[in-house]
């Protein structure tokens, strides 16, 4: 009955999780999942039918310094196979579990890496197919909030030279949401205000939620 109800929503982002699956998700979000081993990649269902590897999983982000990052996987890539299993045969949860495993073990990935080809005054989307074998490692929790103080861009009225406003901007990169994110954002804002920030930019790009 729950699956039939979900089917009526016609929403690719609504999924049914069993209790054991839900506990893994909530533990990860709360930061209580210790010694998680994997390749440091965050994926979601690829709902863009026009993109290469449309039956695969869209790479939202990679953890800096992780096997995925070092191996050259980037946001926008599409995972089309894991350990010789086509992505079309896997649920998002099954794919995430397959990417995890003991530290030191290996996982093979087939990827579609998109690129744009110029021709005839226009751009067409193509992709390169790449196969990688990565070694899993213990992944340390990374902060969901990264603050930085930046100089404000120069301003002008369009009729004369631009002038320096002398103001500073607080830049806050928000990579994911977890139980501690609100406190992290509050601390970042307070710290940037103390450092002289007058305006703020919140960067939510590639945030998987």
């Amino acid at each position: 009955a729950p699956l039939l109800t979900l089917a009526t929503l016609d929403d690719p982002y609504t999924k049914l999780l069993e209790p054991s699956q839900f506990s893994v998700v909530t533990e990860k979000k709360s930061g209580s999942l210790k010694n998680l081993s994997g390749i440091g990649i965050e994926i979601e269902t690829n709902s863009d039918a026009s993109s290469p590897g449309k039956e695969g999983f869209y790479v939202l982000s990679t953890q800096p310094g992780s096997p995925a990052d070092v191996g050259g996987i980037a946001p926008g890539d599409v995972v089309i196979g894991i350990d010789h299993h086509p992505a079309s045969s896997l649920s998002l949860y099954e794919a995430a579990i397959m990417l995890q495993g003991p530290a030191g073990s290996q996982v093979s990935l087939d990827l579609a890496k998109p690129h744009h080809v110029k021709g005839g005054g226009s751009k067409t989307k193509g992709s390169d197919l790449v196969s990688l074998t990565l070694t899993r490692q213990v992944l340390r929790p990374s902060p969901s909030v990264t603050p930085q103080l930046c100089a404000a861009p120069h301003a002008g009225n369009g009729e004369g030279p631009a002038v320096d406003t002398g103001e500073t901007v607080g830049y806050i990169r928000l990579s994911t949401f977890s139980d501690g994110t609100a406190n992290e954002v509050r601390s970042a804002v307070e710290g940037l205000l103390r450092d002289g920030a007058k305006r703020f930019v919140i960067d939510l790009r590639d945030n998987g939620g």
Side-chain angles (χ1 to χ4, degrees):
L3 289 176
L4 291 175
T5 301
L6 289 178
T8 63
L9 298 177
D10 193 26
D11 182 357
Y13 299 103
T14 301
K15 305 293 182 184
L16 176 66
L17 294 180
E18 299 292 339
S20 59
Q21 299 172 336
F22 182 70
S23 66
V24 171
V25 174
T26 54
E27 286 175 356
K28 182 179 178 181
K29 288 298 183 184
S30 67
S32 61
L33 196 60
K34 305 298 183 182
N35 298 322
L36 176 66
S37 298
I39 61 172
I41 191 175
E42 187 167 2
I43 58 176
E44 71 172 2
T45 302
N46 183 25
S47 59
D48 182 3
S50 67
S51 71
K54 63 181 180 180
E55 298 296 332
F57 299 102
Y58 182 83
V59 176
L60 282 172
S61 62
T62 58
Q63 184 173 325
S66 66
D69 179 39
V70 174
I73 298 177
D77 291 351
V78 180
V79 179
I80 58 176
I82 304 174
D83 281 339
H84 309 296
H85 295 275
S88 58
S89 68
L90 302 172
S91 68
L92 181 61
Y93 177 80
E94 290 170 335
I97 291 298
M98 290 182 68
L99 293 174
Q100 299 175 21
S105 63
Q106 292 186 325
V107 59
S108 62
L109 298 179
D110 296 317
L111 299 153
K113 298 182 75 66
H115 63 265
H116 290 89
V117 180
K118 294 183 179 180
S122 63
K123 292 182 179 180
T124 59
K125 185 180 290 187
S127 65
D128 296 319
L129 300 182
V130 177
S131 295
L132 297 174
T133 298
L134 303 176
T135 301
R136 299 180 180 94
Q137 68 181 37
V138 175
L139 302 172
R140 304 301 179 189
S142 56
S144 61
V145 176
T146 305
Q148 182 178 349
L149 193 66
C150 306
H154 292 264
N157 58 13
E159 297 179 357
V163 296
D164 190 345
T165 63
E167 293 187 348
T168 51
V169 175
Y171 168 84
I172 298 176
R173 170 80 175 104
L174 190 54
S175 59
T176 189
F177 292 105
S178 66
D179 287 354
T181 298
N183 288 332
E184 290 184 51
V185 171
R186 185 178 298 108
S187 296
V189 170
E190 292 173 349
L192 290 169
L193 285 172
R194 287 194 299 269
D195 291 340
K198 302 298 183 182
R199 291 178 281 174
F200 289 88
V201 173
I202 307 296
D203 186 354
L204 295 173
R205 290 174 297 174
D206 300 322
N207 186 313

